[in-house]
Amino acid sequence: MSAELKARIKEVIRRNYNVKSFRLEIGGEPEFKAGQFLSLVLQNDKKLKKYFSISSSPTEKCYLEFTKKLTQSDFSRALDNLKAGDEVTIQYPFGKFILDESFSKIAFLSGGIGITPIRSICKYAADKELGVDIVLVYSNRSVRDIIFKDDFDALQKSYPLLRVAHVLCETEPGFKCTVGLINSGVIKNEIPDYLKREFYLCGPPQMVEAMRNMLAGQLGVSREKIITENFQGY
């Protein structure tokens, strides 16, 4: 783990109507493993401190990126006001939600902003051509809530071993998805070889716990094959 360091905002990218990515220059090449997270302090005020998954991949060497769903909190307001050139304090890397490259088949179950470390891992696997077979089942309220849609569309084309299945509460004509919530039926339909895969779960704590119980209790997936992060960002 590194000491605290100063970083400058390089670029701010709007991902959807209430989510932005913030790219940081850190004065060198970022060193971390795909799926790890960082701490961020704004305005040198420890009250304005949060933890964020790193949404960039180690293969994207010119910046370190994190992504935030913006709310009406004091922290979100301060973050939303950041612009290129502004300075923040970060510390990284933290966490063990990383890809074991010995796995031949994995599956991600995610909801909402929980997609951020998964974007990092999938981008890394594609750029490195790791050969791991990946299925992502990604839950959101509607199409407009999907984060990194363009990124994952591109990744599926460049890395055919990745397949993304969307699960939405509300859909729109022409968009391929399952309507509802992630449940055992969705898993059986989208991941028929689920017993041969390692599962990574990332999302709100209640969702993660429900997914863990569903996999182990209803589908018979060994708890040793279910990987989660005790993440402080929610």
Side-chain angles (χ1 to χ4, degrees):
M1 183 179 68
S2 303
E4 285 191 348
L5 58 93
K6 298 296 183 182
R8 291 195 179 277
I9 301 294
K10 178 177 182 176
E11 186 178 5
V12 180
I13 302 168
R14 179 167 289 283
R15 297 297 182 182
N16 68 15
Y17 69 97
N18 66 352
V19 174
K20 287 184 177 180
S21 290
F22 299 82
R23 292 183 174 176
L24 307 173
E25 291 180 327
I26 63 167
E29 188 174 301
E31 294 185 10
F32 66 100
K33 294 181 179 179
Q36 290 189 300
F37 64 95
L38 57 79
S39 70
L40 175 80
V41 177
L42 301 179
Q43 302 169 3
N44 291 316
D45 183 350
K46 294 293 186 180
K47 293 179 182 178
L48 293 176
K49 179 177 181 178
K50 293 281 186 182
Y51 293 88
F52 295 98
S53 294
I54 300 169
S55 51
S56 53
S57 162
T59 55
E60 296 169 301
K61 299 180 182 298
C62 297
Y63 55 83
L64 196 64
E65 179 187 282
F66 68 93
T67 301
K68 173 78 166 72
K69 180 179 179 180
L70 300 171
T71 66
Q72 296 302 309
S73 70
D74 291 343
F75 187 93
S76 275
R77 288 193 179 107
L79 191 64
D80 198 21
N81 286 329
L82 289 178
K83 57 187 182 302
D86 287 347
E87 189 176 78
V88 297
T89 302
I90 65 169
Q91 190 174 9
Y92 81 105
F94 301 98
K96 299 178 181 178
F97 191 80
I98 57 178
L99 177 65
D100 183 332
E101 295 185 27
S102 70
F103 294 158
S104 60
K105 290 187 172 188
I106 63 174
F108 292 105
L109 305 184
S110 184
I113 198 66
I115 196 66
T116 51
I118 297 168
R119 190 268 177 199
S120 175
I121 295 172
C122 290
K123 176 66 172 168
Y124 178 80
D127 287 348
K128 290 291 189 179
E129 298 181 342
L130 294 183
V132 59
D133 184 299
I134 304 171
V135 177
L136 163 62
V137 180
Y138 184 28
S139 174
N140 282 284
R141 179 172 297 280
S142 66
V143 173
R144 70 193 292 258
D145 292 290
I146 296 172
I147 307 165
F148 299 118
K149 181 181 180 301
D150 291 345
D151 288 40
F152 278 103
D153 287 349
L155 284 171
Q156 288 180 92
K157 292 178 181 177
S158 66
Y159 188 71
L161 289 173
L162 168 65
R163 184 172 66 83
V164 180
H166 291 284
V167 180
L168 303 177
C169 298
E170 308 164 6
T171 188
E172 62 183 45
F175 187 81
K176 184 180 178 181
C177 70
T178 298
V179 179
L181 302 173
I182 298 175
N183 55 34
S184 59
V186 171
I187 301 303
K188 290 176 181 178
N189 185 52
E190 298 293 353
I191 317 174
D193 61 351
Y194 62 89
L195 288 175
K196 298 180 180 179
R197 294 181 184 264
E198 317 291 328
F199 277 84
Y200 287 77
L201 315 182
C202 192
Q206 287 183 322
M207 175 192 172
V208 169
E209 188 60 25
M211 293 299 99
R212 191 199 331 249
N213 292 337
M214 175 195 66
L215 290 171
Q218 298 178 34
L219 295 173
V221 176
S222 167
R223 289 189 179 271
E224 287 71 38
K225 299 181 75 172
I226 302 173
I227 300 156
T228 63
E229 180 71 272
N230 182 19
F231 182 54
Q232 305 168 68
Y234 280 95

